[in-house]
Amino acid sequence: MKQKLIDMRNLYQIIILVISLNVQPVLGQWTIQESGSTTHLNGVAFFDSVVGIAVGEVGTILRTADGGLNWDEIGGQGNKFLWRAYFVNESDGWITGTNGTLLYTNDKGLNWAEQNVNSTNYLRAIDQFDEANTWLVGNDGALFFSNDQGDNWIDKSVTFQDDFTDVEFVTDSIGVFVGGNGLIMITEDAANSLTRINVTDKHIVKVYFINDSVGWICGQEGLIYKTTNGGYSWGAQNSGSSEFIQDITFVKANEGWAVGRNGLLIGTLDGGENWDILNSPTSSALLSVDFVDSSIGWAAGDRGTILKYSIISNIEETSDYGLECTINPNPVLDEAIIQFSENIGVIKIMIVNSVGRVLKSKYLVNKDLHSYKFSRNELSSGSYFLYITTDKQQITKQFVIE
């Protein structure tokens, strides 16, 4: 009877431990940055990991030179409504806005000069394939082309009343235009002619291509579509949300991010086959997102909101208990062994990707556990985190699958 009571107590402790360990680690996370502004911000863009700008209403241009720790306001733009920022290299960039506003910098955003487009349209987006091929689009079919870094603009506007919201050229002559009411148009001859592609009637705000054939669009009611043939056909993806998705970007063919209203943050590591809704530190609408690589990015939105994404790598959490572990081999080819410095009892093991999604989770109850073998199975090549929790401490290990 006494032995049974001890067993029941042990079982009770194990149940409580399992419940208490049911948490998801945060290995890459979004945090709020102090922008010093309450103005609605519509666009964010970075030259590199330290220098970037955010733009918004009433002529607001915020600039950082330390990765977003501090933001300085650049004045001189009056009450202009600024919409998007776009950088083409380590020094040159543009800002678009209402009433034909187009601003240009060649010194990493320290100074901005207005370029004359000879338009009063709301200019929504700009894209440059190379210095001889820059494209600018806006409301009411506004379409302009420059072959001299914007010193002169050629009006190629179309006669229909739809609004262009974005454009991306994948060659010097092939480009994709998107806009309101499901507008998708393709040109193969530098906008001398445009072919309409019928996919949806929902509002589209962004198009992004990772190469000349693979791209995505996003927009109204959680809309995300993907193309693998340069935009001639599109397949719907499940974003997991009905919020208006305002912006989308990819750093690799399989690794992308999107943002939207009510603080929506979503990420994918498989080209959009699965989108994960991530914990967001804000409820403000997020209108723009920009990443410089897989480990660092920013988002901007209403009420001066600026968020920064950073990934916590190569972490090992220890405690006074002193348990240590190793993963061999690392990089992992097919399988690996987790070796513990001493025998342990109850343990939870999780494999987590860089956006914090738990891919595998397993509880082990064995008082003599000294090692554990795991297989890569369906995990693709890339960087992952092994998150180990015992009754006394937590350890995070990074490993690579080749």
Side-chain angles (χ1 to χ4, degrees), residues 223-278:
L223 177 148
I224 296 180
Y225 280 76
K226 180 181 181 179
T227 181
T228 57
N229 61 5
Y232 290 94
S233 62
W234 298 82
Q237 293 190 327
N238 182 8
S239 69
S241 174
S242 61
E243 296 289 349
F244 201 121
I245 299 178
Q246 297 282 167
D247 199 4
I248 190 168
T249 189
F250 275 72
V251 294
K252 299 177 182 177
N254 60 345
E255 187 175 342
W257 303 86
V259 299
R261 296 181 183 173
N262 291 314
L264 179 68
L265 293 165
I266 60 176
T268 180
L269 287 175
D270 56 15
E273 293 298 318
N274 297 280
W275 286 92
D276 296 309
I277 297 179
L278 310 174

Side-chain angles (χ1 to χ4, degrees), residues 84-386:
R84 280 289 191 257
Y86 179 81
F87 294 137
V88 297
N89 54 42
E90 57 187 29
S91 61
D92 296 71
W94 282 273
I95 297 172
T96 64
T98 55
N99 297 318
T101 297
L102 183 65
L103 306 177
Y104 173 74
T105 182
N106 60 7
D107 60 4
K108 284 195 172 183
L110 283 171
N111 297 281
W112 295 87
E114 191 152 6
Q115 291 187 332
N116 183 18
V117 186
N118 194 27
S119 172
T120 59
N121 288 93
Y122 182 178
L123 301 179
R124 302 289 294 269
I126 191 167
D127 181 67
Q128 185 179 83
F129 178 75
D130 56 33
E131 290 188 1
N133 293 275
T134 306
W135 298 88
L136 176 66
V137 298
N139 286 8
D140 300 325
L143 172 56
F144 300 89
F145 168 77
S146 175
N147 59 11
D148 57 9
Q149 285 291 85
D151 288 337
N152 298 279
W153 291 92
I154 300 169
D155 191 344
K156 306 189 77 168
S157 299
V158 294
T159 56
F160 58 72
Q161 296 302 305
D162 285 322
D163 295 335
F164 286 128
T165 56
D166 200 14
V167 58
E168 181 149 354
F169 270 72
V170 296
T171 72
D172 58 358
S173 60
I174 300 175
V176 178
F177 301 80
V178 299
N181 302 312
L183 178 67
I184 302 175
M185 303 189 83
I186 296 179
T187 181
E188 296 179 340
D189 55 9
N192 290 317
S193 62
L194 296 167
T195 301
R196 186 154 190 162
I197 307 296
N198 295 314
V199 175
T200 178
D201 59 359
K202 295 177 182 178
H203 192 57
I204 303 170
V205 293
K206 179 71 175 183
V207 57
Y208 188 91
F209 275 81
I210 195 70
N211 54 44
D212 60 3
S213 59
V214 179
W216 293 261
I217 56 176
C218 68
Q220 184 181 5
E221 296 178 6
L223 177 148
I224 296 180
Y225 280 76
K226 180 181 181 179
T227 181
T228 57
N229 61 5
Y232 290 94
S233 62
W234 298 82
Q237 293 190 327
N238 182 8
S239 69
S241 174
S242 61
E243 296 289 349
F244 201 121
I245 299 178
Q246 297 282 167
D247 199 4
I248 190 168
T249 189
F250 275 72
V251 294
K252 299 177 182 177
N254 60 345
E255 187 175 342
W257 303 86
V259 299
R261 296 181 183 173
N262 291 314
L264 179 68
L265 293 165
I266 60 176
T268 180
L269 287 175
D270 56 15
E273 293 298 318
N274 297 280
W275 286 92
D276 296 309
I277 297 179
L278 310 174
N279 291 330
S280 178
T282 182
S283 60
S284 295
L286 298 174
L287 303 180
S288 180
V289 62
D290 188 41
F291 270 71
V292 295
D293 58 37
S294 298
S295 63
I296 187 168
W298 289 263
D302 286 355
R303 299 190 291 272
T305 299
I306 298 179
L307 308 181
K308 182 177 182 179
Y309 175 86
S310 56
I311 190 166
I312 305 170
S313 61
N314 296 316
I315 301 172
E316 182 170 338
E317 298 182 15
T318 60
S319 70
D320 293 337
Y321 186 66
L323 176 68
E324 296 181 359
C325 75
T326 58
I327 302 173
N328 290 302
N330 188 7
V332 178
L333 296 178
D334 295 311
E335 60 183 20
I337 295 177
I338 308 167
Q339 195 78 30
F340 302 103
S341 60
E342 58 186 86
N343 291 352
I344 54 176
V346 179
I347 185 173
K348 180 180 181 181
I349 297 176
M350 292 188 290
I351 295 177
V352 183
N353 64 25
S354 61
V355 298
R357 181 184 179 193
V358 177
L359 304 176
K360 294 185 178 183
S361 179
K362 187 176 183 65
Y363 285 102
L364 304 172
V365 182
N366 186 340
K367 66 180 181 179
D368 295 321
L369 184 65
H370 192 72
S371 64
Y372 175 72
K373 180 186 292 186
F374 72 95
S375 173
R376 63 174 294 173
N377 288 341
E378 298 178 357
L379 298 177
S380 59
S381 298
S383 181
Y384 296 87
F385 295 90
L386 187 69

Side-chain angles (χ1 to χ4, degrees), residues 33-38 62 71 73 304:
Q33 294 196 308
E34 294 297 329
S35 70
S37 175
T38 58
L62 305 178
W71 294 85
E73 186 163 0

